[in-house]
Structure formats: structure tokens, C-alpha cells
């Protein structure tokens, strides 16, 4: 029977030869998934020279073969990690990305700067619910909503959000009930935004993330983001804050889009790799509509 270490090294080589971007991490996480242990426990077993065989070895071999075809790691384990959370994911829902963690941080910074004790926050185009669940778990006393249209994704939205007290709405994010208008302190969205001609290079994204979560429609991919920006302006109280994720190539057009929607102090933000990743703005103070005059 082979040692756990030998099996791990063979898996890393197999994954690397298939072009998997992070073969070492993926091999470790698949082993941890099969064995039901943490990565520190995995290292301990390796150092002890533990053997690895039987049904667990067969299951691991099957998972490595699947990962070699570029099925996302998260679809094989059913889990994705986002900020401090372990989220349930799978086919039919967009897998949350590390760069979106910085988008959430912008919202958290706004809440802290404003000194809000019970901020009202909403995540539009919530997908897995990563943003909403992070806000609710990191801001005690917050009231958080998550809005998702996809019938395939909504089960994941609920599974990840409801344990944190998030209210989930299964509907189009551009048609949030009118009673929500003017009530939100913070709106965050990671909407579909990829332009039609910008097909993702990564096989995991291109072949396995739902098309509905990727492509933003229109020639520039911003048709859905424009509608989301207009909705955000309606939802926010005066001085409320909106943050939207977008593609690096959309930096200038996203800023103009927010200004066109009426946002003030529009600012671009980079992710940890220095790429333009998000744009934010503050809801302007809207003039009250004068009452309609009725002439006799």
C-alpha cells in the first residue's frame, strides 16, 4: 500500500500536467475532503508516513481525474471559502472569487466610517449569497437582504444566507419591491458583467459557471450593471453607498455609468493584484417632488 505522501505527490503531478493552476492546493483540499480532515491534520499524517488505500484512495483517484478535466474544485467538494465563511456551492451557481472579498471590505469600511449600529444592506445578483452572508456575519445587528433570480442558484443562496439571518428574495434584482426604496444604507452587487466578446480564458469559469451569472448583455457587457446601478440609486437613502464589481476593462465606463445614474464621489478601486475591480459612489440627496397642483 502506498503512503499518503506518495499518493499526494502523484496527484500534484497529474493535476499540473493537466494545466490545473494550483495543483498542490487542489490535491490537499481533495485529500482533506475525502478523509474528512483539516490541512494541518493532513500534514501530520504525511509526516507520520501513513498509508492510503481502499475506498478512500479510489474516491480520491476519481476526484483527481475529474479535476484534470477542469471541473471546478468547489464543485467536487461542494464548498467554497469566502472571507471567514465556508459556503455551499455546486453546478448552477457562480463560484465566489477572492477578489470579491475586497469589494465586501469596501462596504464594511463604509459601515465603520458611518458608525452604523444596524445598517440596512442588500446584495443584488447574490448568487451563492457570499456577499450578503459575509456582511451579516461580520456586522452584528445588520439587516441584510440577498436578491437572486436564478432557479438553479437560489437554493445555494438560501443555504448560505439564512443561517446568518439574511432575508432572501427570489426575484429579478432590478425589480425590488417599492417599499424598499430609500431604505438602504449599503448596496453591493457583483452582477453579470462580462462583454459578449470577452470569453473567459479559465476553463473552470468558461465551461462551468452559469452563463446567466457571467454575461452582462449589451455590446459592453454593462446592460445589466446599468439596470442594477439605477435600482441601487432607488434603494439607497441619501448619502448611502453603492459598490459594484466589474471587469478591469470596464473601469472608465463603470465610473461613467454610476455618474449617469446620479451617484456622487464616484471612485474606482483595485483588487489585491492591482487590477481595477470595483467602482463605488454615494447616493445624491434627491430633491423632493413638489405636489401636483390641481386647477379647478
Amino acid at each position: 500500500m502506498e503512503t499518503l505522501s506518495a499518493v499526494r505527490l502523484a496527484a500534484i503531478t497529474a493535476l499540473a500536467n493537466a494545466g490545473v493552476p494550483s495543483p498542490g492546493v487542489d490535491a490537499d483540499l481533495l485529500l482533506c475532503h475525502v478523509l474528512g480532515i483539516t490541512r494541518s491534520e493532513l500534514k501530520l499524517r504525511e509526516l507520520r508516513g501513513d498509508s492510503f488505500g481502499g475506498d478512500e484512495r479510489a474516491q480520491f483517484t476519481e476526484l483527481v481525474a475529474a479535476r484534470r478535466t477542469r471541473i471546478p474544485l468547489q464543485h467536487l467538494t461542494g464548498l467554497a471559502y469566502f472571507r471567514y465563511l465556508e459556503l455551499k456551492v455546486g453546478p448552477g451557481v457562480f463560484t465566489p472569487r477572492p477578489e470579491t472579498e475586497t469589494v465586501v471590505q469596501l462596504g464594511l469600511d463604509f459601515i465603520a466610517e458611518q458608525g452604523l449600529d444596524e445598517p440596512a444592506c442588500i446584495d443584488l445578483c447574490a448568487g451563492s449569497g457570499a456577499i450578503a452572508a459575509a456582511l451579516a456575519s461580520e456586522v452584528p445587528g445588520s439587516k441584510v437582504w440577498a436578491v437572486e433570480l436564478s432557479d438553479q442558484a437560489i437554493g445555494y443562496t438560501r443555504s448560505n444566507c439564512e443561517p446568518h439571518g439574511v432575508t432572501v428574495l427570489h426575484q429579478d434584482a432590478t425589480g425590488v419591491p417599492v417599499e424598499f426604496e430609500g431604505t438602504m444604507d449599503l448596496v453591493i452587487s457583483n452582477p453579470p458583467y462580462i462583454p459578449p466578446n470577452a470569453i473567459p480564458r479559465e476553463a473552470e469559469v468558461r465551461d462551468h459557471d452559469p452563463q446567466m451569472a457571467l454575461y452582462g448583455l449589451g455590446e459592453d457587457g454593462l446592460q445589466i450593471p446599468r439596470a442594477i446601478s439605477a435600482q441601487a440609486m432607488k434603494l439607497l437613502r441619501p448619502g448611502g453607498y453603492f459598490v459594484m464589481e466589474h471587469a478591469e476593462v470596464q473601469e472608465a465606463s463603470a465610473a461613467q455609468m454610476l455618474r449617469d445614474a446620479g451617484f456622487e464621489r464616484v471612485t474606482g478601486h483595485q483588487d489585491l493584484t492591482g487590477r481595477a475591480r470595483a467602482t463605488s459612489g454615494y447616493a445624491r440627496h434627491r430633491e423632493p417632488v413638489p405636489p401636483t397642483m390641481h386647477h379647478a
Side-chain angles (χ1 to χ4, degrees):
M1 190 179 288
E2 290 178 281
T3 64
L4 181 62
S5 185
V7 171
R8 175 180 173 273
L9 288 173
I12 291 171
T13 301
L15 292 172
N17 289 341
V20 172
S22 50
V25 172
D26 287 23
D28 284 359
L29 292 175
L30 288 173
L31 278 168
C32 291
H33 173 66
V34 169
L35 295 168
I37 59 175
T38 63
R39 287 180 80 179
S40 55
E41 172 67 15
L42 177 66
K43 295 302 171 197
L44 183 62
R45 292 192 187 189
E46 270 197 272
L47 289 169
R48 287 199 309 240
D50 286 10
S51 58
F52 187 50
D55 292 342
E56 289 174 338
R57 169 66 196 275
Q59 184 188 355
F60 177 67
T61 301
E62 193 175 298
L63 288 171
V64 169
R67 184 68 185 106
R68 279 174 53 85
T69 70
R70 306 301 290 272
I71 293 174
L73 174 75
Q74 297 87 349
H75 287 193
L76 299 174
T77 64
L79 296 173
Y81 297 92
F82 186 82
R83 292 185 66 89
Y84 305 104
L85 300 174
E86 184 179 90
L87 302 173
K88 294 174 183 168
V89 295
V93 70
F94 182 80
T95 301
R97 304 287 194 271
E99 53 265 30
T100 306
E101 297 184 12
T102 62
V103 179
V104 172
Q105 189 61 50
L106 292 167
L108 294 171
D109 292 345
F110 167 77
I111 290 169
E113 287 161 10
Q114 296 274 310
L116 301 172
D117 293 329
E118 297 182 352
C121 314
I122 192 163
D123 173 8
L124 301 178
C125 304
S128 67
I131 291 172
L135 290 170
S137 64
E138 294 184 49
V139 186
S142 59
K143 301 187 209 52
V144 184
W145 288 262
V147 187
E148 175 54 46
L149 177 62
S150 166
D151 294 336
Q152 288 183 292
I154 195 67
Y156 294 106
T157 319
R158 290 191 173 116
S159 293
N160 293 321
C161 285
E162 288 176 349
H164 298 286
V166 175
T167 303
V168 176
L169 304 179
H170 183 192
Q171 64 167 87
D172 190 325
T174 62
V176 177
V178 68
E179 59 264 28
F180 284 76
E181 292 185 6
T183 66
M184 296 292 162
D185 297 296
L186 173 66
V187 178
I188 301 187
S189 183
N190 180 16
Y193 56 71
I194 295 177
N197 60 347
I199 297 170
R201 288 189 296 272
E202 301 91 346
E204 290 83 350
V205 178
R206 182 183 65 241
D207 301 334
H208 296 282
D209 274 331
Q211 303 274 301
M212 182 178 173
L214 295 177
Y215 296 99
L217 307 181
E219 288 184 14
D220 57 2
L222 291 173
Q223 182 176 319
I224 293 174
R226 279 191 191 90
I228 293 294
S229 299
Q231 177 70 86
M233 177 56 81
K234 289 180 184 176
L235 292 171
L236 287 166
R237 61 163 173 81
Y241 191 58
F242 174 47
V243 190
M244 176 181 281
E245 184 172 325
H246 53 72
E248 187 175 10
V249 296
Q250 294 166 330
E251 180 180 14
S253 50
Q256 188 58 51
M257 178 179 71
L258 262 65
R259 284 192 287 267
D260 290 345
F263 286 95
E264 300 172 335
R265 288 183 279 160
V266 173
T267 306
H269 305 276
Q270 296 180 336
D271 63 17
L272 295 177
T273 66
R275 292 180 300 171
R277 175 56 55 190
T279 299
S280 67
Y282 292 81
R284 70 184 187 289
H285 290 260
R286 296 181 285 278
E287 295 298 322
V289 178
T292 305
M293 298 295 290
H294 293 285
H295 297 283

Short mmCIF file of all heavy atoms in Angstrom, two decimals, residues 61-105:
data_model
loop_
_atom_site.label_atom_id
_atom_site.label_comp_id
_atom_site.label_asym_id
_atom_site.label_seq_id
_atom_site.Cartn_x
_atom_site.Cartn_y
_atom_site.Cartn_z
N THR A 61 -8.80 9.13 -6.31
CA THR A 61 -8.36 8.95 -7.70
C THR A 61 -9.43 9.45 -8.67
O THR A 61 -9.13 10.11 -9.67
CB THR A 61 -8.05 7.47 -7.97
OG1 THR A 61 -7.03 7.04 -7.07
CG2 THR A 61 -7.58 7.25 -9.40
N GLU A 62 -10.69 9.15 -8.35
CA GLU A 62 -11.81 9.59 -9.18
C GLU A 62 -11.93 11.12 -9.19
O GLU A 62 -12.15 11.74 -10.23
CB GLU A 62 -13.10 8.96 -8.63
CG GLU A 62 -14.29 9.05 -9.53
CD GLU A 62 -15.48 8.28 -8.95
OE1 GLU A 62 -15.37 7.06 -8.76
OE2 GLU A 62 -16.50 8.94 -8.66
N LEU A 63 -11.75 11.73 -8.03
CA LEU A 63 -11.84 13.18 -7.92
C LEU A 63 -10.69 13.87 -8.66
O LEU A 63 -10.89 14.89 -9.32
CB LEU A 63 -11.85 13.61 -6.45
CG LEU A 63 -13.13 13.31 -5.67
CD1 LEU A 63 -12.92 13.57 -4.18
CD2 LEU A 63 -14.30 14.14 -6.19
N VAL A 64 -9.49 13.32 -8.56
CA VAL A 64 -8.34 13.89 -9.28
C VAL A 64 -8.58 13.80 -10.79
O VAL A 64 -8.31 14.76 -11.53
CB VAL A 64 -7.03 13.18 -8.88
CG1 VAL A 64 -5.88 13.58 -9.81
CG2 VAL A 64 -6.68 13.50 -7.43
N ALA A 65 -9.12 12.67 -11.25
CA ALA A 65 -9.41 12.52 -12.68
C ALA A 65 -10.43 13.57 -13.13
O ALA A 65 -10.30 14.16 -14.21
CB ALA A 65 -9.94 11.11 -12.96
N ALA A 66 -11.43 13.83 -12.30
CA ALA A 66 -12.45 14.83 -12.63
C ALA A 66 -11.83 16.24 -12.64
O ALA A 66 -12.12 17.04 -13.53
CB ALA A 66 -13.60 14.77 -11.63
N ARG A 67 -10.95 16.51 -11.68
CA ARG A 67 -10.32 17.84 -11.61
C ARG A 67 -9.40 18.05 -12.81
O ARG A 67 -9.25 19.18 -13.29
CB ARG A 67 -9.54 17.97 -10.29
CG ARG A 67 -8.92 19.35 -10.09
CD ARG A 67 -9.96 20.41 -9.87
NE ARG A 67 -9.39 21.76 -9.78
CZ ARG A 67 -9.47 22.68 -10.75
NH1 ARG A 67 -10.10 22.41 -11.88
NH2 ARG A 67 -8.92 23.87 -10.59
N ARG A 68 -8.80 16.97 -13.32
CA ARG A 68 -7.94 17.07 -14.50
C ARG A 68 -8.74 17.54 -15.73
O ARG A 68 -8.17 18.13 -16.64
CB ARG A 68 -7.28 15.72 -14.80
CG ARG A 68 -6.05 15.45 -13.94
CD ARG A 68 -5.52 14.04 -14.17
NE ARG A 68 -5.27 13.74 -15.58
CZ ARG A 68 -4.16 14.05 -16.25
NH1 ARG A 68 -3.17 14.67 -15.62
NH2 ARG A 68 -4.02 13.74 -17.52
N THR A 69 -10.04 17.29 -15.75
CA THR A 69 -10.88 17.75 -16.86
C THR A 69 -11.33 19.19 -16.64
O THR A 69 -12.12 19.72 -17.41
CB THR A 69 -12.12 16.87 -17.03
OG1 THR A 69 -13.01 17.07 -15.92
CG2 THR A 69 -11.75 15.39 -17.13
N ARG A 70 -10.84 19.81 -15.57
CA ARG A 70 -11.09 21.23 -15.21
C ARG A 70 -12.49 21.46 -14.64
O ARG A 70 -12.98 22.59 -14.65
CB ARG A 70 -10.79 22.16 -16.38
CG ARG A 70 -9.40 22.01 -16.96
CD ARG A 70 -8.27 22.26 -15.98
NE ARG A 70 -8.18 23.67 -15.60
CZ ARG A 70 -7.46 24.56 -16.28
NH1 ARG A 70 -6.76 24.20 -17.35
NH2 ARG A 70 -7.42 25.83 -15.90
N ILE A 71 -13.11 20.39 -14.15
CA ILE A 71 -14.30 20.62 -13.31
C ILE A 71 -13.82 21.38 -12.08
O ILE A 71 -12.81 21.02 -11.47
CB ILE A 71 -14.96 19.29 -12.89
CG1 ILE A 71 -15.55 18.59 -14.12
CG2 ILE A 71 -16.03 19.50 -11.83
CD1 ILE A 71 -16.09 17.21 -13.85
N PRO A 72 -14.50 22.48 -11.71
CA PRO A 72 -14.01 23.30 -10.58
C PRO A 72 -13.85 22.48 -9.29
O PRO A 72 -14.69 21.62 -8.98
CB PRO A 72 -15.10 24.36 -10.42
CG PRO A 72 -15.73 24.46 -11.77
CD PRO A 72 -15.70 23.06 -12.33
N LEU A 73 -12.79 22.76 -8.59
CA LEU A 73 -12.55 22.10 -7.31
C LEU A 73 -13.77 22.22 -6.40
O LEU A 73 -14.17 21.26 -5.74
CB LEU A 73 -11.32 22.75 -6.63
CG LEU A 73 -11.02 22.28 -5.21
CD1 LEU A 73 -10.40 20.89 -5.24
CD2 LEU A 73 -10.10 23.26 -4.50
N GLN A 74 -14.38 23.42 -6.39
CA GLN A 74 -15.52 23.67 -5.50
C GLN A 74 -16.73 22.81 -5.85
O GLN A 74 -17.53 22.50 -4.98
CB GLN A 74 -15.88 25.15 -5.53
CG GLN A 74 -14.79 26.08 -5.02
CD GLN A 74 -13.80 26.49 -6.10
OE1 GLN A 74 -13.78 25.93 -7.20
NE2 GLN A 74 -12.96 27.47 -5.80
N HIS A 75 -16.87 22.44 -7.12
CA HIS A 75 -17.97 21.56 -7.50
C HIS A 75 -17.72 20.13 -7.01
O HIS A 75 -18.67 19.39 -6.75
CB HIS A 75 -18.16 21.55 -9.02
CG HIS A 75 -18.76 22.82 -9.55
ND1 HIS A 75 -19.25 22.93 -10.82
CD2 HIS A 75 -18.95 24.03 -8.97
CE1 HIS A 75 -19.72 24.15 -11.02
NE2 HIS A 75 -19.53 24.84 -9.90
N LEU A 76 -16.46 19.76 -6.90
CA LEU A 76 -16.12 18.41 -6.44
C LEU A 76 -16.25 18.27 -4.93
O LEU A 76 -16.65 17.22 -4.42
CB LEU A 76 -14.69 18.07 -6.88
CG LEU A 76 -14.47 18.05 -8.40
CD1 LEU A 76 -13.00 17.84 -8.71
CD2 LEU A 76 -15.32 16.97 -9.06
N THR A 77 -15.92 19.33 -4.20
CA THR A 77 -16.02 19.28 -2.74
C THR A 77 -17.36 19.82 -2.23
O THR A 77 -17.75 19.54 -1.10
CB THR A 77 -14.90 20.10 -2.08
OG1 THR A 77 -15.06 21.48 -2.44
CG2 THR A 77 -13.52 19.62 -2.53
N GLY A 78 -18.04 20.63 -3.09
CA GLY A 78 -19.30 21.25 -2.67
C GLY A 78 -19.11 22.46 -1.78
O GLY A 78 -20.08 22.98 -1.23
N LEU A 79 -17.86 22.92 -1.65
CA LEU A 79 -17.57 24.02 -0.74
C LEU A 79 -16.71 25.08 -1.41
O LEU A 79 -15.88 24.79 -2.26
CB LEU A 79 -16.81 23.51 0.49
CG LEU A 79 -17.53 22.53 1.41
CD1 LEU A 79 -16.57 22.01 2.47
CD2 LEU A 79 -18.75 23.17 2.05
N ALA A 80 -16.92 26.34 -0.98
CA ALA A 80 -16.04 27.44 -1.38
C ALA A 80 -15.78 28.26 -0.13
O ALA A 80 -16.65 28.39 0.74
CB ALA A 80 -16.69 28.29 -2.45
N TYR A 81 -14.59 28.84 -0.06
CA TYR A 81 -14.23 29.64 1.10
C TYR A 81 -14.22 31.11 0.70
O TYR A 81 -13.67 31.48 -0.33
CB TYR A 81 -12.86 29.20 1.63
CG TYR A 81 -12.91 27.77 2.11
CD1 TYR A 81 -12.57 26.71 1.25
CD2 TYR A 81 -13.36 27.46 3.39
CE1 TYR A 81 -12.66 25.40 1.68
CE2 TYR A 81 -13.44 26.14 3.82
CZ TYR A 81 -13.10 25.12 2.95
OH TYR A 81 -13.20 23.82 3.37
N PHE A 82 -14.87 31.93 1.53
CA PHE A 82 -15.01 33.36 1.22
C PHE A 82 -14.91 34.14 2.52
O PHE A 82 -15.74 33.94 3.43
CB PHE A 82 -16.37 33.60 0.55
CG PHE A 82 -16.57 35.00 0.06
CD1 PHE A 82 -16.04 35.41 -1.16
CD2 PHE A 82 -17.29 35.93 0.81
CE1 PHE A 82 -16.23 36.70 -1.63
CE2 PHE A 82 -17.48 37.22 0.36
CZ PHE A 82 -16.95 37.61 -0.86
N ARG A 83 -13.90 34.97 2.62
CA ARG A 83 -13.62 35.70 3.86
C ARG A 83 -13.57 34.70 5.02
O ARG A 83 -12.70 33.84 5.03
CB ARG A 83 -14.62 36.84 4.07
CG ARG A 83 -14.42 37.96 3.01
CD ARG A 83 -15.30 39.17 3.24
NE ARG A 83 -14.97 39.89 4.46
CZ ARG A 83 -14.07 40.88 4.54
NH1 ARG A 83 -13.40 41.27 3.48
NH2 ARG A 83 -13.84 41.49 5.69
N TYR A 84 -14.48 34.79 6.00
CA TYR A 84 -14.42 33.87 7.14
C TYR A 84 -15.43 32.73 7.01
O TYR A 84 -15.67 32.00 7.98
CB TYR A 84 -14.69 34.65 8.43
CG TYR A 84 -13.75 35.82 8.60
CD1 TYR A 84 -14.19 37.13 8.37
CD2 TYR A 84 -12.42 35.63 8.97
CE1 TYR A 84 -13.32 38.21 8.51
CE2 TYR A 84 -11.55 36.70 9.11
CZ TYR A 84 -12.00 37.99 8.87
OH TYR A 84 -11.14 39.05 9.00
N LEU A 85 -16.02 32.57 5.85
CA LEU A 85 -17.13 31.64 5.69
C LEU A 85 -16.77 30.42 4.85
O LEU A 85 -15.92 30.49 3.96
CB LEU A 85 -18.31 32.35 5.02
CG LEU A 85 -18.89 33.56 5.75
CD1 LEU A 85 -19.94 34.23 4.88
CD2 LEU A 85 -19.48 33.15 7.09
N GLU A 86 -17.46 29.33 5.13
CA GLU A 86 -17.43 28.14 4.29
C GLU A 86 -18.81 28.07 3.64
O GLU A 86 -19.82 27.93 4.33
CB GLU A 86 -17.17 26.90 5.15
CG GLU A 86 -17.01 25.62 4.37
CD GLU A 86 -16.72 24.43 5.28
OE1 GLU A 86 -17.69 23.80 5.73
OE2 GLU A 86 -15.54 24.16 5.55
N LEU A 87 -18.85 28.20 2.31
CA LEU A 87 -20.12 28.29 1.59
C LEU A 87 -20.39 27.02 0.80
O LEU A 87 -19.47 26.36 0.32
CB LEU A 87 -20.08 29.47 0.62
CG LEU A 87 -19.81 30.85 1.22
CD1 LEU A 87 -19.63 31.88 0.11
CD2 LEU A 87 -20.93 31.27 2.16
N LYS A 88 -21.67 26.72 0.64
CA LYS A 88 -22.07 25.59 -0.20
C LYS A 88 -22.21 26.08 -1.64
O LYS A 88 -22.87 27.08 -1.90
CB LYS A 88 -23.41 25.02 0.28
CG LYS A 88 -23.31 24.39 1.66
CD LYS A 88 -24.68 23.97 2.17
CE LYS A 88 -24.54 23.41 3.59
NZ LYS A 88 -25.83 23.25 4.26
N VAL A 89 -21.56 25.37 -2.56
CA VAL A 89 -21.64 25.72 -3.98
C VAL A 89 -21.74 24.45 -4.80
O VAL A 89 -21.56 23.35 -4.30
CB VAL A 89 -20.42 26.54 -4.45
CG1 VAL A 89 -20.34 27.89 -3.77
CG2 VAL A 89 -19.12 25.75 -4.23
N GLY A 90 -22.02 24.61 -6.09
CA GLY A 90 -22.10 23.47 -6.98
C GLY A 90 -22.53 23.92 -8.36
O GLY A 90 -22.63 25.12 -8.63
N PRO A 91 -22.80 22.98 -9.26
CA PRO A 91 -23.24 23.35 -10.61
C PRO A 91 -24.50 24.22 -10.55
O PRO A 91 -25.40 23.96 -9.74
CB PRO A 91 -23.55 21.99 -11.25
CG PRO A 91 -22.72 21.01 -10.48
CD PRO A 91 -22.67 21.53 -9.08
N GLY A 92 -24.50 25.28 -11.37
CA GLY A 92 -25.67 26.15 -11.41
C GLY A 92 -25.53 27.42 -10.60
O GLY A 92 -26.40 28.30 -10.67
N VAL A 93 -24.43 27.55 -9.85
CA VAL A 93 -24.20 28.78 -9.09
C VAL A 93 -22.77 29.25 -9.33
O VAL A 93 -21.85 28.44 -9.47
CB VAL A 93 -24.47 28.59 -7.58
CG1 VAL A 93 -23.41 27.72 -6.92
CG2 VAL A 93 -24.57 29.93 -6.87
N PHE A 94 -22.61 30.57 -9.41
CA PHE A 94 -21.30 31.17 -9.62
C PHE A 94 -20.43 30.93 -8.39
O PHE A 94 -20.85 31.17 -7.26
CB PHE A 94 -21.49 32.68 -9.86
CG PHE A 94 -20.23 33.43 -10.15
CD1 PHE A 94 -19.66 33.40 -11.42
CD2 PHE A 94 -19.61 34.18 -9.16
CE1 PHE A 94 -18.50 34.11 -11.69
CE2 PHE A 94 -18.45 34.89 -9.42
CZ PHE A 94 -17.89 34.85 -10.69
N THR A 95 -19.21 30.45 -8.62
CA THR A 95 -18.29 30.20 -7.51
C THR A 95 -17.67 31.52 -7.06
O THR A 95 -17.05 32.22 -7.87
CB THR A 95 -17.17 29.24 -7.94
OG1 THR A 95 -17.78 28.00 -8.37
CG2 THR A 95 -16.22 28.95 -6.79
N PRO A 96 -17.82 31.90 -5.80
CA PRO A 96 -17.27 33.19 -5.35
C PRO A 96 -15.75 33.22 -5.47
O PRO A 96 -15.08 32.20 -5.28
CB PRO A 96 -17.71 33.27 -3.88
CG PRO A 96 -18.06 31.89 -3.48
CD PRO A 96 -18.50 31.18 -4.71
N ARG A 97 -15.23 34.41 -5.79
CA ARG A 97 -13.81 34.58 -6.05
C ARG A 97 -13.15 35.42 -4.94
O ARG A 97 -13.81 36.29 -4.35
CB ARG A 97 -13.59 35.31 -7.37
CG ARG A 97 -14.25 34.66 -8.58
CD ARG A 97 -13.52 33.39 -9.00
NE ARG A 97 -13.95 32.95 -10.32
CZ ARG A 97 -14.97 32.13 -10.56
NH1 ARG A 97 -15.73 31.69 -9.56
NH2 ARG A 97 -15.27 31.75 -11.79
N PRO A 98 -11.86 35.21 -4.71
CA PRO A 98 -11.16 36.00 -3.68
C PRO A 98 -11.24 37.51 -3.91
O PRO A 98 -11.32 38.28 -2.96
CB PRO A 98 -9.72 35.50 -3.77
CG PRO A 98 -9.82 34.14 -4.38
CD PRO A 98 -10.99 34.19 -5.31
N GLU A 99 -11.23 37.94 -5.20
CA GLU A 99 -11.25 39.39 -5.46
C GLU A 99 -12.53 40.05 -4.96
O GLU A 99 -12.53 41.25 -4.65
CB GLU A 99 -11.03 39.69 -6.95
CG GLU A 99 -11.95 38.97 -7.90
CD GLU A 99 -11.35 37.68 -8.45
OE1 GLU A 99 -10.53 37.05 -7.73
OE2 GLU A 99 -11.69 37.31 -9.58
N THR A 100 -13.61 39.29 -4.87
CA THR A 100 -14.86 39.87 -4.38
C THR A 100 -14.78 40.16 -2.88
O THR A 100 -15.54 40.98 -2.35
CB THR A 100 -16.04 38.94 -4.70
OG1 THR A 100 -16.03 38.65 -6.11
CG2 THR A 100 -17.39 39.57 -4.37
N GLU A 101 -13.86 39.51 -2.19
CA GLU A 101 -13.68 39.79 -0.76
C GLU A 101 -13.30 41.25 -0.53
O GLU A 101 -13.70 41.86 0.46
CB GLU A 101 -12.61 38.86 -0.17
CG GLU A 101 -12.99 37.38 -0.22
CD GLU A 101 -11.98 36.49 0.46
OE1 GLU A 101 -11.10 37.00 1.16
OE2 GLU A 101 -12.08 35.25 0.30
N THR A 102 -12.53 41.82 -1.46
CA THR A 102 -12.13 43.23 -1.31
C THR A 102 -13.32 44.16 -1.56
O THR A 102 -13.37 45.26 -1.02
CB THR A 102 -10.98 43.58 -2.27
OG1 THR A 102 -11.40 43.40 -3.63
CG2 THR A 102 -9.76 42.70 -2.03
N VAL A 103 -14.27 43.72 -2.39
CA VAL A 103 -15.49 44.50 -2.64
C VAL A 103 -16.32 44.57 -1.36
O VAL A 103 -16.85 45.62 -0.98
CB VAL A 103 -16.29 43.89 -3.80
CG1 VAL A 103 -17.57 44.67 -4.05
CG2 VAL A 103 -15.44 43.85 -5.08
N VAL A 104 -16.43 43.44 -0.68
CA VAL A 104 -17.14 43.41 0.61
C VAL A 104 -16.47 44.33 1.61
O VAL A 104 -17.13 45.06 2.36
CB VAL A 104 -17.20 41.96 1.17
CG1 VAL A 104 -17.75 41.94 2.59
CG2 VAL A 104 -18.05 41.08 0.27
N GLN A 105 -15.14 44.34 1.61
CA GLN A 105 -14.40 45.18 2.56
C GLN A 105 -14.73 46.66 2.38
O GLN A 105 -14.81 47.41 3.37
CB GLN A 105 -12.89 44.95 2.42
CG GLN A 105 -12.07 45.60 3.51
CD GLN A 105 -12.41 45.07 4.89
OE1 GLN A 105 -12.45 43.85 5.11
NE2 GLN A 105 -12.69 45.97 5.84
#
